[in-house]
């Protein structure tokens, strides 16, 4: 039996997927989830082999979920938006279904998952830690170690990916604080998170001010007194 989890923030969408999957005798539905936190718990509890995953999860998205999983199961994205297909396959999803899901396409996805399991290979969706950084104009797929720093700007966050222009995203800094591993990511102030592994030089300008140079960023970052103290503490300084 193929152990399946359904993740979608819409109750009717989950019901519709259940009805479609009921026609497949080799599928066992081991649970469902309506959001990112529910999905993380359900995956840990039920250990599904395949997750039918909506991309838009009401404040988070399916790419965020994948980034939190050390060993993600096979993933089939299910969404009403065709424009995410490139990003979905970049993180090695085994298929991409558009809503409303057609029974024939669902059957193809299930057959593909069963072939993956029969091959004995690790799940092809295990693109660990890939984060989709989406703006209005483009999407950048980045590993956490490629992210240099993040700076808050109200409800937006400027994300600095190594050697790329800053991305302005409609996400709070707290969203990324939950998403990124600590260490190496350190929240130095209400408005700044840095990747300590990319720290290359610390310049103390005064008791009130410090400047840091980061690998992958052309311009230095300025720190106030509190942020400087937190950085020194994290580095084991006095």
């Amino acid at each position: 039996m193929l152990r399946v989890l359904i993740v979608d923030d819409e109750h009717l969408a989950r019901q519709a997927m259940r009805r479609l999957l009921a026609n497949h005798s080799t599928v066992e539905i081991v649970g469902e989830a309506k959001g990112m936190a529910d999905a993380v718990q359900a995956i840990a509890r039920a250990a599904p082999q395949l997750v039918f995953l909506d991309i838009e999860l009401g404040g988070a998205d399916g790419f965020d979920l994948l980034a939190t999983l050390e060993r993600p199961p096979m993933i089939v994205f299910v969404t009403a938006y065709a424009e995410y297909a490139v990003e979905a396959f970049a993180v090695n999803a085994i298929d991409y279904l558009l809503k409303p899901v057609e029974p024939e396409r669902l059957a193809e996805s299930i057959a593909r998952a069963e072939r993956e399991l029969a091959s004995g290979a690790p799940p092809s969706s295990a693109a660990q830690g890939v984060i989709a950084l989406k703006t209005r104009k483009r999407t950048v797929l980045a590993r956490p170690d490629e992210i240099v720093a993040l700076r808050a700007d109200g409800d937006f966050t400027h994300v600095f990916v190594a050697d790329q222009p800053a991305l302005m995203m409609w996400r709070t800094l707290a969203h990324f604080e939950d998403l990124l591993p600590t260490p190496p990511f350190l929240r130095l102030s209400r408005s700044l998170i840095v990747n300590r592994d990319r720290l290359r030089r610390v310049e103390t300008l005064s008791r009130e001010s410090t400047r840091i140079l980061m690998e992958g960023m052309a311009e230095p970052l300025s720190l106030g007194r509190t942020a400087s103290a937190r950085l020194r503490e994290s580095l084991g300084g006095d």
Side-chain angles (χ1 to χ4, degrees), residues 204-224:
T204 301
L205 304 179
S206 69
R207 291 188 60 185
E208 303 294 330
S209 179
T210 299
R211 186 167 62 186
I212 58 176
L213 281 75
M214 308 291 293
E215 180 185 356
M217 282 185 68
E219 298 296 326
L221 293 170
S222 296
L223 308 182

Side-chain angles (χ1 to χ4, degrees), residues 27 39 46-47 52 66 82 90 102 111 118 129 148-149 157 164 212:
V27 168
F52 287 97
L66 281 183
E102 298 178 356
V148 181
T157 297
Q164 296 192 41
I212 58 176

Side-chain angles (χ1 to χ4, degrees), residues 136-155:
R136 291 182 178 180
K137 295 184 178 180
R138 63 186 179 125
T139 298
V140 173
L141 295 166
R143 299 186 311 273
D145 62 3
E146 295 177 300
I147 297 175
V148 181
L150 307 97
R151 188 168 58 208
D153 184 3
D155 290 333

Side-chain angles (χ1 to χ4, degrees), residues 5 29 33 45 62 106 125 129 158 164-165 180 194 199 213 222 225:
L5 178 73
I29 301 174
R45 180 180 64 252
L106 178 62
S125 62
H158 297 273
Q164 296 192 41
L180 294 168
V194 300
L199 179 63
L213 281 75
S222 296
R225 185 173 185 176

